[in-house]
Amino acid sequence: MKKIVFTAMILFLAVMGIFASNYSDIIKSAKENNISLKNAEISYLNSKLTIEKSELEDELQITVSVKEAQILQNLDVTPTVKIVLPNDGSTTITVTVPTTLDYEDTSRYSFSPTLTVDHNFDLSGFDKDVLTALSNSKAALENEYTYQNALLSFEKTCISTIKTIVNLEKDIENQ
């Protein structure tokens, strides 16, 4: 008997707390304190970042590098600048300027610049960029759907719990 009275009092206090708060406050508080919902949000944001990263791969790329410098009799330096354009053929422009300075004869200075341009021609008619864009869009929609579905499922669970508590209170009042 004491157990039933204690349970009834706990339920009564819980129900009074529910009536003291409105529905949106209860759901908001539950969302803030639910670990599985936080994990779903982290997974959602991680997927969004992955999709954005794959879309960035088609941006302009610039690389600057210097081959090792030999400092024995001469100073040999080979700076290279590589630019990859974000087009269908992945046009690559490479500029290299090998430079040599003779320590013994400082009037001897040489460099021989080279310019290389590469472009890939795709004669198959298949456009990889369109397929990539469609795949990214599909992944973004699936990611959004999964996250929104998790939010909706959580709200349904909260509503069901509130409904159960209210029905228990009605049963206690009717006894």
Side-chain angles (χ1 to χ4, degrees):
M1 182 68 178
K2 289 182 182 181
K3 244 183 181 181
I4 294 174
V5 172
F6 180 72
T7 306
M9 289 183 75
I10 296 295
L11 285 175
F12 179 74
L13 291 174
V15 170
M16 286 300 139
I18 288 175
F19 288 123
S21 301
N22 64 17
Y23 164 77
S24 58
D25 288 342
I26 294 170
I27 298 295
K28 181 181 175 185
S29 175
K31 282 181 181 179
E32 290 173 355
N33 297 317
N34 189 285
I35 293 173
S36 63
L37 201 58
K38 287 180 182 180
N39 287 339
E41 183 178 7
I42 289 170
S43 175
Y44 168 71
L45 294 173
N46 188 27
S47 295
K48 280 182 75 170
L49 287 174
T50 302
I51 292 167
E52 288 175 13
K53 180 184 173 193
S54 71
E55 290 173 352
L56 287 177
E57 291 176 359
D58 280 346
E59 298 294 321
L60 176 69
Q61 300 173 16
I62 299 175
T63 307
V64 178
S65 63
V66 177
K67 277 191 179 177
E68 61 187 56
Q70 295 179 351
I71 308 175
L72 297 173
Q73 298 168 351
N74 301 328
L75 174 63
D76 293 328
V77 181
T78 308
T80 302
V81 176
K82 181 178 179 181
I83 301 172
V84 180
L85 301 177
N87 58 18
D88 289 337
S90 295
T91 303
T92 304
I93 301 168
T94 307
V95 178
T96 306
V97 185
T99 307
T100 303
L101 176 64
D102 191 348
Y103 285 136
E104 294 174 5
D105 183 8
T106 55
S107 63
R108 221 174 110 198
Y109 175 78
S110 68
F111 67 96
S112 52
T114 59
L115 172 69
T116 308
V117 178
D118 294 318
H119 182 82
N120 299 322
F121 293 97
D122 183 10
L123 303 177
S124 68
F126 176 73
D127 192 358
K128 183 181 172 187
D129 289 342
V130 172
L131 181 62
T132 302
L134 288 173
S135 295
N136 286 344
S137 295
K138 178 183 178 227
L141 287 173
E142 287 174 345
N143 186 38
E144 186 70 30
Y145 171 78
T146 302
Y147 180 64
Q148 293 299 329
N149 194 26
L151 287 175
L152 183 62
S153 176
F154 181 76
E155 282 193 33
K156 283 181 181 179
T157 303
C158 287
I159 291 169
S160 175
T161 304
I162 292 170
K163 183 177 175 182
T164 301
I165 291 172
V166 169
N167 286 336
L168 286 173
E169 184 202 1
K170 284 182 183 179
D171 290 346
I172 290 172
E173 288 178 1
N174 290 336
Q175 289 180 355

